[in-house]
Amino acid sequence: CFAALASPQHQLDTPSAPISSDDSNGCEWRARDDVLGRKMLASLTEMGHHGTLKRERIISSPQAAHIGLTSTNAPVLNFCANNYLGLSNHPEVVEAAAQALHTHGFGLSSVRFICGTQDLHKQLEATISRFLGTEDTILYPSCFDANAGLFEAILGPDDVVISDELNHASIIDGIRLCKARRLRFKHMDMADLEQQLKVAREVSSGIKLVVTDGVFSMDGDIAPLREIQALARQYGAHTCVDDCHATGFVGPTGRGTPEACGLHGQVDIVNSTLGKALGGATGGFTSGRADVIALLRQRARPYLFSN
C-alpha cells in the first residue's frame, strides 16, 4: 500500500494526490494537502524509509497451523499466530460459542455495571480464579484494557511502580495513565531491581508495585519471578505479572509463569488474555487479590466505560 512512500520522487502535487495502493492489503487512501495530511504523510514516509510499515495478511480461512490467504491459492504454513494450543478453531470451542449465542444472545449493548453482566461472565471469572489460584477475577475486552485500567485505579501520587524496561506496550501505556512515581529496572536484572526498590523505599511510604511480563514475547525470555517475588517481599513491595504469552500452556499444568516458577497463586496481580492460547477470540482479565479486584470494579475506566 505504501510502496511509493519510500520513493524520493513522490510529491504532493495536488490537494488530494493519490498514493499507490495495494489491494492485497485492503488499503486505499489519498494524501491531502492540509496540516493533518502532511503530518500523516510524513510519518508514513518515514516508516517506509525505515522498513517499519506494517502489512496485514488477509486470511480467508479459520486460524490454524495451515491457513488460506487471499493473495495465494496455496495453503500457507503459519508460524506467527498466538494460537499456542490450537483452540482457535477447535470443534468443541466453536460449538460452545454457538450454543452461547443461542442461549444468551449476541451482545449486551451495555457496560457491565449498568445492565451488562450475565451469569456467563461470573462463571468465567470464577473459573479463571480457580485455574490461577487467586481470590477473584475481573474481565475486560482485552488485556490491553486490563493494563490500561489497573495502574490508574490502584496507584496514586504517593505510590511507586517499578517496571522492567522491556515490558509490553500496554503496560507502558497503562503506567503513563497513573500518577505514581515511575521507576524502571534493566531487563531481568535483579541487582538493578533491588537498587530501584531501595530508591522506592526512600521516596515513598505508599504502595510499591513491581510489574513484569511473565514471558517476553519478542525474545521468549521468562521472567525470574521467584527472585522478583523475593526481592519485592524483602522491600515491602507487591508484584504484578502480565502473563499473556504464558496462560494456558506454560507451567506443568498450563497455569502460566507463576506456576512455572513455583509461585502458583502467590503473585498479587496477574493480568492476561483470552485472545491467545485460550481460544484466540477476545477478552482479557485481571486476577488476584479480592480487594484489588473490588476496587477495579469501581474505578477501572475500561471496565466502567467501554462496551
Side-chain angles (χ1 to χ4, degrees):
C1 180
F2 306 115
L5 294 178
S7 173
Q9 68 264 24
H10 175 73
Q11 299 291 331
L12 273 176
D13 297 322
T14 66
S16 57
I19 304 299
S20 68
S21 63
D22 182 345
D23 291 339
S24 67
N25 285 335
C27 179
E28 187 170 346
W29 59 280
R30 301 171 73 85
R32 303 184 66 86
D33 191 15
D34 56 22
V35 174
L36 178 61
R38 288 191 290 272
K39 180 64 177 289
M40 299 304 100
L41 179 62
S43 295
L44 291 165
T45 301
E46 182 178 8
M47 292 178 191
H49 282 308
H50 291 289
T52 58
L53 280 170
K54 301 167 187 64
R55 305 180 184 276
E56 297 178 355
R57 299 166 179 84
I58 302 175
I59 300 173
S60 57
S61 68
Q63 187 66 272
H66 292 85
I67 55 176
L69 299 180
T70 58
S71 57
T72 179
N73 292 324
V76 175
L77 189 59
N78 180 11
F79 285 96
C80 56
N82 302 131
N83 186 23
Y84 300 117
L85 298 176
L87 295 179
S88 293
N89 193 42
H90 192 283
E92 292 185 29
V93 175
V94 173
E95 177 61 24
Q99 287 299 318
L101 287 173
H102 288 297
T103 59
H104 287 73
F106 181 71
L108 288 164
S109 302
S110 170
V111 294
R112 287 279 302 271
F113 83 95
I114 296 179
C115 61
T117 295
Q118 289 181 323
D119 53 350
L120 292 179
H121 291 110
K122 302 308 294 182
Q123 291 168 21
L124 178 57
E125 288 172 343
T127 298
I128 292 171
S129 297
R130 288 194 301 271
F131 183 68
L132 297 180
T134 56
E135 296 175 357
D136 200 2
T137 296
I138 180 174
L139 298 174
Y140 291 92
S142 69
C143 189
F144 204 109
D145 284 328
N147 284 329
L150 175 65
F151 305 102
E152 182 183 25
I154 71 170
L155 300 178
D158 296 327
D159 304 319
V160 180
V161 58
I162 308 169
S163 178
D164 187 292
E165 65 180 355
L166 295 188
N167 275 342
H168 190 267
S170 60
I171 297 175
I172 296 170
D173 285 359
I175 290 173
R176 286 172 176 165
L177 293 172
C178 78
K179 296 180 180 179
R181 177 159 179 173
R182 308 162 196 171
L183 300 175
R184 288 191 300 174
F185 64 97
K186 296 174 183 177
H187 180 48
M188 301 200 313
D189 185 326
M190 296 301 95
D192 194 42
L193 172 58
E194 182 169 18
Q195 180 60 38
Q196 301 309 316
L197 283 164
K198 290 177 179 178
V199 172
R201 186 174 60 181
E202 291 297 319
V203 302
S204 173
S205 60
I207 299 168
K208 290 169 277 292
L209 183 65
V210 179
V211 57
T212 181
D213 279 7
V215 174
F216 291 82
S217 62
M218 298 305 293
D219 297 313
D221 297 336
I222 297 179
L225 287 189
R226 183 177 289 279
E227 291 83 353
I228 291 173
Q229 182 91 322
L231 282 171
R233 295 292 182 259
Q234 179 181 342
Y235 288 90
H238 299 280
T239 51
C240 173
V241 176
D242 180 320
D243 224 22
C244 285
H245 289 274
T247 300
F249 66 100
V250 170
T253 62
R255 285 165 166 80
T257 313
E259 183 188 41
C261 295
L263 295 173
H264 176 65
Q266 298 179 47
V267 175
D268 294 298
I269 301 168
V270 177
N271 280 4
S272 196
T273 184
L274 306 174
K276 291 183 170 62
L278 301 180
T282 187
F285 59 84
T286 295
S287 193
R289 294 170 44 148
D291 51 357
V292 171
I293 305 305
L295 186 61
L296 291 175
R297 293 193 194 280
Q298 302 300 316
R299 284 187 179 175
R301 296 172 77 84
Y303 180 81
L304 294 172
F305 301 112
S306 177
N307 71 287

